[in-house]
Amino acid sequence: MICMIVAMLMLPLGDTFIKLLTGSMHPVSVGMWRVLAQALFLVPLAFIMRRRLRGAMFSPVVALSGGLMVISMTSLIFAFQSMPIATAIAIFFVEPLILTLLAGPLLGERAGPRRLIAVGVGLVGALIVIRPGFSSYGWVTVLPLISAFVYALNMIVLKRASRTRSSLTVQCGATIYAMLALLVLVGGMHVAGIENLTPPAGDLRVWGLVLSAGLVAAITFVLIAEAYRSADATALAPFQYLEIVTATAMGFLVFGDLPDTLTWIGISIILGSGIYIFHREGHADTSTAAPRRRRGGR
């Protein structure tokens, strides 16, 4: 749980570095350089923790995870370019709710009526934050929603891939696939004549932001992998909402942004719905574990 708490509090720090980079580079290029820097730090970390690498790192399912990572990350980076970090992450927080809906058809995990109602309420909260037709950020507010949907799909892919591989193996493989995909994409953009794809050669500030974003991403990846290795997903999932704390603080301290009243109302509804779902998950796990204990004795 400590690993998960630290990771969630650190993630918006990396998002802050990324938002700062969008002022100097194209968002897709920011994603590529962040993943390159992430791989630069992740490879030695994986070597140090090589005993926890298990299973095939390169396979179609891991490649799919890498592709989904690219779509989710670039959508969120485009959103960071135009809107406050806290608002973008608040919309992204519908991801656990979307995951609850997708788990039925894709994983065979059925959600009861109360969970489905909680999902509906959470989506209402997201609509309050997005405010279609009224938000000052326009269509950009849809991007964190796309990122959340794709991220939820990736969680399902990771769950399937982790049946025969360690989570650290999947993370490393997905990072490499994402890096290759982004290199090809940015290379095509360069051929098409799109500019601002590389950090200015002599700008140490930009290079420092790139390396810092990669370092934060690598550390949080390892912390999350360690957290899920040591604890159940239902016990860790509520800690995802700690992101809003650091996101709001960094948004205010670095960019002077604070969510407005309606955004806070939407955030509260999303958080309440998500926490209720995870509470129901924990209650369900406890109720199913009790009969097993009775049958098996002490």
Side-chain angles (χ1 to χ4, degrees), residues 24-25 198-204 206-207:
S24 304
M25 290 187 290
T198 58
D203 196 333
L204 296 180
V206 173
W207 284 104

Side-chain angles (χ1 to χ4, degrees), residues 19 22 76-84 136-137 139-140 143:
K19 184 174 175 65
T22 58
L76 206 54
I77 292 174
F78 269 105
F80 288 156
Q81 186 181 36
S82 304
M83 62 195 306
S136 59
Y137 305 108
W139 66 270
V140 176
L143 291 175

Side-chain angles (χ1 to χ4, degrees), residues 10-11 14 34 37-38 42 211-222:
M10 285 184 65
L11 275 174
R34 198 216 78 167
Q38 176 180 320
L42 191 59
L211 292 174
S212 298
L215 178 60
V216 170
I219 292 173
T220 53
F221 265 44
V222 172

Side-chain angles (χ1 to χ4, degrees), residues 190-250:
H190 175 71
V191 172
I194 298 176
E195 300 179 350
N196 297 325
L197 299 178
T198 58
D203 196 333
L204 296 180
R205 172 184 169 275
V206 173
W207 284 104
L209 289 172
V210 168
L211 292 174
S212 298
L215 178 60
V216 170
I219 292 173
T220 53
F221 265 44
V222 172
L223 286 172
I224 291 170
E226 282 296 291
Y228 278 98
R229 186 182 69 88
S230 306
D232 294 337
T234 52
L236 296 173
F239 293 110
Q240 292 181 15
Y241 294 115
L242 287 174
E243 280 190 66
I244 198 65
V245 176
T246 312
T248 303
M250 296 304 297

Side-chain angles (χ1 to χ4, degrees), residues 10-250:
M10 285 184 65
L11 275 174
L13 181 61
D15 294 337
T16 302
F17 296 144
I18 287 172
K19 184 174 175 65
L20 289 169
L21 284 169
T22 58
S24 304
M25 290 187 290
H26 191 280
V28 175
S29 179
V30 171
M32 183 198 72
W33 285 102
R34 198 216 78 167
V35 172
L36 284 171
Q38 176 180 320
L40 176 68
F41 291 107
L42 191 59
V43 168
L45 284 173
F47 178 78
I48 294 171
M49 304 173 68
R50 58 189 179 277
R51 292 183 179 178
R52 293 178 185 166
L53 292 172
R54 178 177 55 83
M57 186 177 294
F58 303 106
S59 67
V61 69
V62 179
L64 176 59
S65 177
L68 293 172
M69 181 193 299
V70 169
I71 297 171
S72 178
M73 179 180 63
T74 52
S75 297
L76 206 54
I77 292 174
F78 269 105
F80 288 156
Q81 186 181 36
S82 304
M83 62 195 306
I85 292 176
T87 303
I89 290 180
I91 299 171
F92 180 83
F93 275 162
V94 300
E95 179 270 326
L97 311 178
I98 295 173
L99 184 58
T100 300
L101 292 176
L102 295 178
L106 298 180
L107 293 175
E109 300 176 0
R110 295 184 179 180
R114 282 186 282 189
R115 286 188 203 168
L116 292 176
I117 291 172
V119 169
V121 172
L123 294 179
V124 169
L127 288 174
I128 291 174
V129 178
I130 297 170
R131 275 165 272 171
F134 299 97
S135 172
S136 59
Y137 305 108
W139 66 270
V140 176
T141 53
V142 179
L143 291 175
L145 199 60
I146 294 173
S147 179
F149 179 79
V150 176
Y151 189 89
L153 282 177
N154 194 29
M155 290 301 98
I156 291 173
V157 171
L158 288 175
K159 185 169 183 176
R160 288 185 176 275
S162 297
R163 292 172 181 173
T164 55
R165 303 163 180 82
S166 67
S167 55
L168 184 60
T169 298
V170 178
Q171 295 280 29
C172 291
T175 298
I176 294 172
Y177 278 118
M179 179 180 66
L180 294 175
L182 284 167
L183 282 170
V184 171
L185 182 58
V186 172
M189 293 169 63
H190 175 71
V191 172
I194 298 176
E195 300 179 350
N196 297 325
L197 299 178
T198 58
D203 196 333
L204 296 180
R205 172 184 169 275
V206 173
W207 284 104
L209 289 172
V210 168
L211 292 174
S212 298
L215 178 60
V216 170
I219 292 173
T220 53
F221 265 44
V222 172
L223 286 172
I224 291 170
E226 282 296 291
Y228 278 98
R229 186 182 69 88
S230 306
D232 294 337
T234 52
L236 296 173
F239 293 110
Q240 292 181 15
Y241 294 115
L242 287 174
E243 280 190 66
I244 198 65
V245 176
T246 312
T248 303
M250 296 304 297

